[in-house]
Amino acid sequence: MGAKLEWDEEIRTVKLLPGMGTVTKARFSPTRDGIPSETLTVKAGYFGTPYNTLKVFTFSDLEAMADVYQAYTFIDSMPAVVLDSAQGVRLVDILESCDIDINSIDKLYFYTTDVNKGWYQSLSKSYLLDTKRYYFPNLPTHWDYEEEEALPGAEEGAVQVEPIIAIRDYWKRFATDPDFSQMVESNGFRLVFGQEDTSTITSMRSAKWIREISVMLIGHPPSEVTLNQDTINAKIGSTVLLEATVGPSDATNKSVIWSSSNPEVATVDETGRVSIIAPGTATITVTTAIGEQTATCIVHGSTQSADNQRAVLDGREEEEKEDSDPSILPDGQQRLAEKGTAATTKWAGRVFEMSADIEPLEPRSEHGNLNVLTGITSLILFFLGAGRKYMEYKKEVAW
């Protein structure tokens, strides 16, 4: 059996109960002064590039998301078993609410209020999010303080747990059962995660008083964003779908944010669908979530559509021509319908209908009859002239 210990509040350490042996190699960390942060800022970026602020959470924001009530076990540097009863938000939920692709994460840096320069804790995604971790409910009662190791049975009944950012917790050394009624907020936003085993010291990695989480992403940041249209002329009540292309093609995070400079004229939703609601002009802007690359499209809302207006509507190209009646043609023209149907043509106030099987006639000249008469007259004059010449010839021969 392990030695029996109790906490001495006066000397802020544990002491051995009389007659229960000795405790050796006790190690203590200095007390650090910190205060809870009023907000939690989440940033993301790439190695060697500035980090962009994605979202700033207030305590109320996180409290509304804090649906996890879970106990966690730790081993501290004493070493002793610590039991933490915590209420918080899954770390993955916080990151995803910032539009961060979990698979694109390389490392996470945790900044705390008690460290003025730099980060307090840096953990890789593989360590914090990909590794299976557990709460060992038997560990507090199966720890040998003389041998500084877990006793057989400590790992029985292990419960797999996920990392959370706690908003309230009750961090208690030597506790044997969780107690959620004693949770406090004085530790601020605290990183809490489970153990891989019952021997590794992990308590110092449970950062408290967190004020910022910076996420380093793998791959390359976006360097540009373009839109499929830069100008739109559209009727009131119509919708147009803008399409954004983020480059380069291997950019890790291609998330974008849409906005309108004049929502009273045109609004835009998260998919890039623009709705024209009033006459006027608005600028639709798309911005990459990482790197803040931008592209714009000018929208003109009008009660009348522009001639030959081209718009991408629901993913299809449509061409509108206003005030053009395909049945009205210039004078003298004919329109042929598909074979087996009839075509109607308006000409000089009259309506003619003809079958598509009828071949169109060549138009006749208005001077057709005059041309025939002229030809006949010319022929008669020719023969008269020829006859006169012949008579003159006969007379010459007779002489």
Side-chain angles (χ1 to χ4, degrees):
M1 291 294 293
K4 300 294 184 180
L5 302 170
E6 68 175 7
W7 178 256
D8 190 319
E9 187 66 29
E10 184 176 345
I11 61 176
R12 300 296 297 171
T13 187
V14 293
K15 65 180 182 181
L16 189 67
L17 294 177
M20 299 306 298
T22 60
V23 176
T24 59
K25 296 188 294 182
R27 297 181 294 275
F28 302 94
S29 298
T31 301
R32 295 176 295 114
D33 294 327
I35 58 173
S37 174
E38 295 181 356
T39 59
L40 175 64
T41 301
V42 178
K43 297 182 178 181
Y46 297 83
F47 178 78
T49 66
Y51 280 52
N52 300 289
T53 299
L54 302 183
K55 190 174 280 190
V56 178
F57 296 90
T58 65
F59 180 87
S60 298
D61 293 335
L62 294 177
E63 186 176 34
M65 301 168 62
D67 57 356
V68 177
Y69 289 81
Q70 179 62 54
Y72 294 80
T73 45
F74 293 88
I75 298 175
D76 66 11
S77 57
M78 185 176 168
V81 177
V82 176
L83 185 59
D84 192 26
S85 306
Q87 174 193 0
V89 187
R90 294 169 65 242
L91 178 58
V92 169
D93 289 344
I94 293 176
L95 299 176
E96 289 182 341
S97 71
C98 299
D99 293 326
I100 295 176
D101 179 7
I102 302 301
N103 294 324
S104 299
I105 296 175
D106 185 6
K107 289 184 178 180
L108 297 98
Y109 298 86
F110 297 87
Y111 294 78
T112 59
T113 61
D114 61 319
V115 177
N116 295 327
K117 288 187 177 182
W119 40 266
Y120 167 78
Q121 184 71 265
S122 169
L123 300 173
S124 68
K125 170 182 174 287
S126 61
Y127 176 86
L128 186 58
L129 300 179
D130 297 340
T131 303
K132 289 185 177 180
R133 298 186 171 278
Y134 302 90
Y135 156 57
F136 297 104
N138 285 351
L139 182 59
T141 58
H142 290 69
W143 182 261
D144 189 327
Y145 283 91
E146 287 187 342
E147 300 297 330
E148 300 179 350
E149 63 181 13
L151 298 171
E155 294 186 0
E156 293 181 4
V159 178
Q160 187 171 342
V161 293
E162 294 185 75
I164 67 170
I165 296 297
I167 61 169
R168 301 181 182 92
D169 73 323
Y170 180 49
W171 181 277
K172 185 68 174 177
R173 183 185 283 131
F174 308 127
T176 57
D177 296 301
D179 187 356
F180 296 98
S181 66
Q182 300 294 321
M183 293 188 300
V184 296
E185 299 173 2
S186 58
N187 293 320
F189 304 126
R190 183 173 201 155
L191 172 65
V192 186
F193 56 93
Q195 298 173 269
E196 293 182 71
D197 52 52
T198 57
S199 60
T200 305
I201 295 175
T202 55
S203 66
M204 289 299 292
R205 293 195 166 186
S206 178
K208 59 182 179 179
W209 301 316
I210 297 173
R211 59 180 174 82
E212 178 186 314
I213 302 174
S214 288
V215 181
M216 185 170 77
L217 303 172
I218 59 177
H220 303 285
S223 60
E224 65 174 355
V225 60
T226 57
L227 289 172
N228 60 325
Q229 297 186 81
D230 54 18
T231 304
I232 294 174
N233 298 301
K235 291 180 180 180
I236 295 172
S238 62
T239 59
V240 179
L241 183 62
L242 290 176
E243 298 174 356
T245 302
V246 177
S249 58
D250 61 346
T252 305
N253 189 327
K254 295 186 178 182
S255 300
V256 295
I257 302 168
W258 297 89
S259 62
S260 172
S261 66
N262 192 353
E264 295 182 355
V265 171
T267 61
V268 61
D269 66 14
E270 60 185 9
T271 67
R273 185 178 299 278
V274 179
S275 299
I276 292 81
I277 58 179
T281 301
T283 300
I284 304 300
T285 302
V286 62
T287 306
T288 58
I290 302 297
E292 297 184 348
Q293 303 293 323
T294 62
T296 60
C297 176
I298 307 299
V299 176
H300 301 286
S302 174
T303 55
Q304 294 182 349
S305 63
D307 290 340
N308 298 324
Q309 173 186 318
R310 296 175 63 86
V312 177
L313 178 60
D314 294 332
R316 303 184 305 275
E317 286 193 352
E318 293 189 353
E319 183 168 286
E320 297 180 357
K321 294 185 178 181
E322 191 177 59
D323 298 331
S324 60
D325 188 342
S327 65
I328 301 177
L329 298 176
D331 290 350
Q333 292 189 11
Q334 298 175 352
R335 175 179 297 279
L336 293 182
E338 297 293 334
K339 192 167 184 177
T341 64
T344 301
T345 301
K346 295 181 181 179
W347 182 39
R350 298 182 181 180
V351 178
F352 301 91
E353 183 173 299
M354 56 187 172
S355 170
D357 298 322
I358 299 176
E359 295 296 331
L361 299 177
E362 292 295 329
R364 294 186 301 173
S365 170
E366 295 178 1
H367 307 289
N369 295 335
L370 181 59
N371 291 339
V372 173
L373 181 59
T374 303
I376 294 173
T377 303
S378 299
L379 186 59
I380 293 171
L381 292 175
F382 170 76
F383 282 112
L384 289 175
R388 187 173 62 253
K389 291 287 185 181
Y390 178 74
M391 294 302 293
E392 290 177 356
Y393 169 74
K394 291 290 288 181
K395 289 179 180 181
E396 289 178 1
V397 173
W399 284 99

